[in-house]
Amino acid sequence: PVSALIHAATMVTAGVYLVARSAALFGQSQVAQTLVVTIGTLTAIWAAVVAVKQYDIKRVLAYSTVSQLGFMFAGVGSGAYAAGVSHLATHAFFKALMFLGAGAVMHALEGQLDMRKMGNMRRYMPVTFWTFGIGWFCICGLPPGSGFFSKDLILEGLWHHGYMPQFIVLVFTAGLTAFYMSRMFFTVFLGTERIEMGDEGHGHDSAEDIAPSSHTHEHGGHGHAHEAHGHGHGHKHVHVHPESPLMNGPLIVLAFLSLAGAAVVFRVPGLIYAVTQGMVPHVAGGAGHVAPHFPGEWHFDAQALLGVPTIAGTLAGLIGVGLAWMMRAQFERGWDRSTERLLDAHDRAYEGTLHAIFVRGGELLSNVLYRFVDRAIIDNLVNGTATFVDYLAESLRTLQTGYVRNYALVMLAGAVFVVACFMLILQQLSWPQWQEIFKWGAPILVVVLIGGFIVSRRAPVSAD
């Protein structure tokens, strides 16, 4: 539930909302908009490639979230703010659905995360299978799922605003998304049973319940081992936890929203209010040159359905699903060595780049700040101030000698200084004359002060 909330609705989508709300600022700079679109595009393709490598069911969903965020940023960056926010809303439906579905699978398999140790889960979890399948269908961008409409909006925004390189990359990413999400769906819910339980035991299960069980029947002196359910396919029976109505309820609700979510996001005349209705002029602050010429809501007409972005995105999704279907047997075993090495290199480049920038770079910056700023500047300023105050106090303390003649001398010197100042002021001297006085008086005053300081330092301190 926490992953469903964070990945679908709150933390990770805050940046998309921020850019959409700042449309009036981004619209003033074509460079800023292009930068947002480019970063979103690179994020989408890079995270999608990383997701292809993962065997952890939650990691696949997490990287798919990062990839879909790239789509959203490409939408708001291109000026199609309604498209980015629409995908934010529809993505929340089917991504929360799939995270809760993954949690249901994990609960049934004692916390198992490796997709290679699942398979044919539809037999044990039919409700989860159908609801998760709806989420998978929507994220693949196939009509009439809600993901199809919002993804199509983004692609049309890039197409109409002239971001051709980003458009091509995102069309490829849409196909790649359909491929790795189909890989996950087919591996977990279809195919042969490869079920191995995880290591998170449940309190109500005994060790005998969790352990594989089998029994033997003797026929004519020959022992034949049969599985507990008589499958006869060489698979051990495992105690898969049954589905819980408490879990199935939210899955059914989210499955419905994933299919009908487009009605919440886009205008359906006479049925329901569209959350993006009037959004672009409002966000743009009324500046006509900021609001994109792309419409704020998607219209259900043949011209839009037959446009290049819609056809390209849909074909990419179908190709990705078809390719995953043809390779479903390989997914059960995992990638071969050459593909594994290739994907590992990409994964290491991704993690290595982050490690070099944030870990190594952060460590280097911290050392520089510690050695040159904290130790050399801040510590010396603090400690130097304390040392200076201590030395000044020690020096002034010696002036208190306890001898009346010393105090009388200081009073006389002060009186002479005050009288001299008054006499000089009354003379109304010119500036050159003042300069001449300072020229000779300043050194004499310095010598007298230093001499007085030395004498005071050497003067005996009273016994009191």
Side-chain angles (χ1 to χ4, degrees):
V2 175
S3 297
L5 176 64
I6 293 177
H7 286 259
T10 55
M11 181 183 69
V12 297
T13 54
V16 180
Y17 174 78
L18 176 63
V19 176
R21 292 289 294 177
S22 305
L25 297 177
F26 282 93
Q28 305 298 325
S29 173
Q30 183 65 35
V31 175
Q33 288 183 315
T34 303
L35 182 63
V36 173
V37 172
T38 303
I39 292 177
T41 302
L42 293 177
T43 301
I45 181 64
W46 196 282
V49 175
V50 175
V52 172
K53 162 69 172 59
Q54 305 302 318
Y55 295 110
D56 187 315
I57 185 173
K58 284 189 66 179
R59 281 179 173 266
V60 175
L61 294 176
Y63 279 114
S64 74
T65 298
V66 178
S67 182
Q68 295 305 305
L69 281 173
F71 273 90
M72 298 176 202
F73 276 107
V76 295
S78 66
Y81 303 105
V85 175
S86 298
H87 198 57
L88 185 154
T90 57
H91 172 264
F93 297 142
F94 53 75
K95 183 53 62 70
L97 168 62
M98 287 188 290
F99 262 111
L100 292 180
V105 173
M106 292 164 55
H107 176 268
L109 299 181
E110 301 281 2
Q112 182 62 261
L113 292 170
D114 195 335
M115 298 187 300
R116 294 168 295 184
K117 299 177 181 179
M118 300 180 185
N120 198 30
M121 290 299 296
R122 65 174 179 176
R123 175 180 174 224
Y124 303 98
M125 311 181 72
V127 176
T128 304
F129 165 70
W130 286 107
T131 54
F132 196 99
I134 290 174
W136 159 77
F137 183 84
C138 290
I139 199 173
C140 289
L142 302 177
S146 59
F148 162 76
F149 299 108
S150 55
K151 178 206 66 177
D152 180 66
L153 264 178
I154 293 174
L155 294 179
E156 286 193 34
L158 294 172
W159 175 268
H160 286 293
H161 296 150
Y163 294 97
M164 288 300 107
Q166 292 90 338
F167 171 80
I168 295 173
V169 173
L170 286 184
V171 168
F172 175 77
T173 306
L176 193 60
T177 300
F179 173 77
Y180 71 75
M181 293 303 297
S182 299
R183 166 180 173 261
M184 178 185 66
F185 182 67
F186 297 156
T187 305
V188 173
F189 291 97
L190 305 178
T192 59
E193 289 189 19
R194 309 169 304 282
I195 297 176
E196 296 182 23
M197 306 301 281
D199 55 2
E200 296 180 1
H202 292 268
H204 60 275
D205 293 319
S206 63
E208 292 78 8
D209 292 331
I210 299 175
S213 61
S214 62
H215 56 273
T216 304
H217 300 281
E218 297 293 335
H219 297 285
H222 299 282
H224 301 279
H226 299 277
E227 301 303 322
H229 286 283
H231 299 311
H233 299 295
H235 300 293
K236 293 181 179 181
H237 169 67
V238 292
H239 180 69
V240 177
H241 292 282
E243 292 181 308
S244 167
L246 187 64
M247 295 183 179
N248 290 341
L251 294 178
I252 295 173
V253 173
L254 288 170
F256 172 77
L257 290 174
S258 297
L259 284 177
V264 180
V265 177
F266 307 107
R267 178 191 294 275
V268 178
L271 288 182
I272 195 168
Y273 175 76
V275 297
T276 57
Q277 180 180 356
M279 172 192 159
V280 175
H282 176 72
V283 173
H289 63 283
V290 176
H293 50 268
F294 186 68
E297 53 274 327
W298 197 88
H299 296 281
F300 297 88
D301 54 30
Q303 185 177 0
L305 290 174
L306 297 178
V308 173
T310 303
I311 295 175
T314 304
L315 284 179
L318 291 174
I319 292 173
V321 174
L323 186 60
W325 177 258
M326 290 187 294
M327 299 176 62
R328 65 188 185 280
Q330 178 181 340
F331 296 153
E332 299 178 359
R333 302 186 301 270
W335 295 110
D336 54 45
R337 290 186 176 181
S338 59
T339 307
E340 193 81 32
R341 284 196 298 268
L342 178 63
L343 295 174
D344 275 341
H346 180 276
D347 205 7
R348 286 193 301 271
Y350 173 72
E351 296 183 355
T353 302
L354 295 181
H355 188 272
I357 294 175
F358 295 104
V359 178
R360 295 297 184 186
E363 182 181 3
L364 178 62
L365 178 61
S366 298
N367 287 331
V368 170
L369 294 176
Y370 172 71
R371 295 178 182 274
F372 297 101
V373 178
D374 188 43
R375 296 291 299 274
I377 299 177
I378 298 177
D379 284 357
N380 286 336
L381 282 175
V382 174
N383 297 333
T385 302
T387 302
F388 174 74
V389 172
D390 179 69
Y391 180 78
L392 184 62
E394 182 70 21
S395 301
L396 293 176
R397 187 179 66 85
T398 59
L399 297 178
Q400 302 294 328
T401 61
Y403 293 97
V404 177
R405 61 179 179 270
N406 290 343
Y407 301 152
L409 178 62
V410 173
M411 293 174 63
L412 177 62
V416 171
F417 178 75
V418 172
V419 172
C421 289
F422 272 105
M423 290 179 63
L424 292 174
I425 293 174
L426 293 175
Q427 291 293 326
Q428 296 183 351
L429 301 176
S430 62
W431 178 244
Q433 291 174 322
W434 279 107
Q435 288 179 326
E436 190 69 19
I437 293 174
F438 283 124
K439 177 181 178 181
W440 296 102
I444 296 174
L445 180 62
V446 171
V447 171
V448 170
L449 291 176
I450 293 176
F453 177 74
I454 294 174
V455 170
S456 65
R457 292 285 290 185
R458 291 182 175 276
V461 181
S462 63
D464 296 336

